[in-house]
Amino acid sequence: MTFTTLHGETRDVERTIEAFRPAFRGELVRRDDPGYAECRRIYNAMIDREPAVIAVCSDVADVVAAIRLARKHDLLTSVRGGGHNGAGLALCDGGLTIDLSQLRGIRVDPAGDTARVEAGCVWADVDHATHAFGRAVPSGIIGTTGVAGLTLGGGHGYLTRRYGLTVDNLLQADVVLADGSVVTASDSSHEDLFWAIRGGGGNFGVVTSFLFRTRPVSNVHAGPVLWSLDDAEEVLRWYRSFSPSAPDDLYAFFAFMVVPPAPPFPEELHGRKVCSLMWCATDTDHGSERIEAATAGLPAPLWAHVGGLPFPALQSAFDRFYPPGLEWYWKGDFVREIDDETVALHLEHGSALPTPHSTMHLYPIDGAVHDVPAGATAFAHRDANWSMVITGVDPDPANRDAITGWARDYWQALHPHSAGGAYVNFMMEEGTDRIRATYRDNYDRLCAVKRRYDPDNLFRVNQNIAPAEAP
């Protein structure tokens, strides 16, 4: 058994690992080990990659040792946090995967309104820990999502309009660099690195812990409101005007979806294609009334299920409907406006959902996101109003062509009406032009930071920013 190196050479796995083992306290899982199949499982079952060795790190020293091993032997290297990345960039074929899943520590500081979170955590871990103090960190909408990947891509979800992106709430990060050194990046230390990791992905090193500012969020008023597809045009036309003008503490994403065959959804709607708004109001006194008043002029919904609930319950609401192990194909774009032609295209493709799990979401990323200048962090699309994601999803590999074809056709129809780039966490492997469009005027600066911290491009299994392109 051999490793794949960056330059097409081979390395004997057994000999390399035996020399490395004394420096590593965690578990080294090889292809012929009993736990290998489980260890290489990631969220997206469409991805099937086989690392030669998975280094399951027990601490930061293990991360340092693994990076030094990769550098010494020129190994193709990937980094796994929560394993949730749509393109499956947590894994690499024939190389070394640095697995952070055992780094799960969280320390909430109620006096300082901060939470230090290790890179193997998922957001359900953070929500549970911070909720005990009546606090939350802005993140996504799925509890099983990894903290590291979502944060490094920018991070948006239910609290975005009020409190900004996840990276807007990041205070510092501990990073193991490509040379094996460990630094703390913040506004006062390695400022260029701190700027780059706030949206620039895993290009610059392995982040082992994050220090977040927490926000005062305990209970929210939230839940879905469903309409017939016959009403989708009216609802979407209303939504395109309402969302950008709504108060920052009122959030709703628009979706085309198939009603899941499970509670709390009523049986008579199970399996029906609908459009929906998923609401979250952080106003705990009058949230439900404000949501009801906002939608009063719309057609009567098929069903509404909005009420008060703990924020962690909202964050995990989709987890059972989208468990790990489904096949996913993602396409995304940033969107500034939704004109009449765009509405018509959404109706055409959104009404043709190919499988019960497939969906399209329009996530609002205005409000507090717009208060931060485009050059303040690597996340560049501060003028977008929505982050769109089209996801073809199904448990059966036999439906792979159907879900990928639908998602691609939908995206190709909508892309000319987009802002040109996409949220990096919603991208498959789509090439340098898409990455450039995503970072816009920030791209050259990112290349320069990459060249300083990872000039040999050790961290290349990602939405890669090439150091050679630095001016």
Side-chain angles (χ1 to χ4, degrees), residues 299-325:
L302 296 171
W303 182 69
H305 191 66
V306 176
L309 73 165
F311 185 67
L314 173 64
Q315 284 284 84
S316 61
F318 290 101
D319 291 9
R320 64 192 177 108
F321 300 120
Y322 290 97

Side-chain angles (χ1 to χ4, degrees), residues 182-305:
V182 183
V183 301
T184 297
S186 69
D187 277 333
S188 59
S189 175
H190 297 276
E191 298 92 330
D192 57 344
L193 178 62
F194 187 54
W195 175 86
I197 64 173
R198 286 179 290 169
N203 275 281
F204 311 99
V206 178
V207 178
T208 57
S209 74
F210 302 84
L211 182 67
F212 294 107
R213 176 189 298 110
T214 63
R215 299 292 192 167
V217 178
S218 183
N219 292 344
V220 295
H221 284 248
V225 181
L226 311 183
W227 284 270
S228 165
L229 285 182
D230 292 339
D231 297 321
E233 181 176 1
E234 184 173 351
V235 173
L236 185 52
R237 285 175 178 268
W238 171 87
Y239 175 72
R240 70 182 180 184
S241 299
F242 169 80
S243 184
S245 62
D248 289 355
D249 63 346
L250 198 58
Y251 173 101
F253 72 78
F254 178 91
F256 288 107
M257 59 177 284
V258 177
V259 179
F265 299 99
E267 287 188 17
E268 63 269 20
L269 295 181
H270 289 179
R272 180 168 174 174
K273 293 179 181 179
V274 298
C275 74
S276 72
L277 291 174
M278 184 67 186
W279 290 93
C280 175
T282 52
D283 175 358
T284 56
D285 293 328
H286 306 287
S288 294
E289 293 93 330
R290 291 174 66 198
I291 291 168
E292 184 176 353
T295 57
L298 290 172
L302 296 171
W303 182 69
H305 191 66

Side-chain angles (χ1 to χ4, degrees), residues 50-115:
E50 296 188 356
V53 172
I54 302 171
V56 183
C57 300
S58 63
D59 53 24
V60 175
D62 277 352
V63 178
V64 172
I67 288 174
R68 288 176 176 169
L69 172 74
R71 190 174 184 86
K72 178 179 179 180
H73 296 284
D74 196 31
L75 303 180
L76 182 65
T77 302
S78 64
V79 182
R80 172 181 174 150
H84 213 278
N85 178 265
L89 298 173
L91 301 177
C92 60
D93 274 323
L96 171 70
T97 290
I98 300 173
D99 188 322
L100 309 178
S101 61
Q102 300 306 302
L103 277 61
R104 297 290 284 266
I106 299 176
R107 183 181 183 277
V108 179
D109 177 5
D113 294 333
T114 63

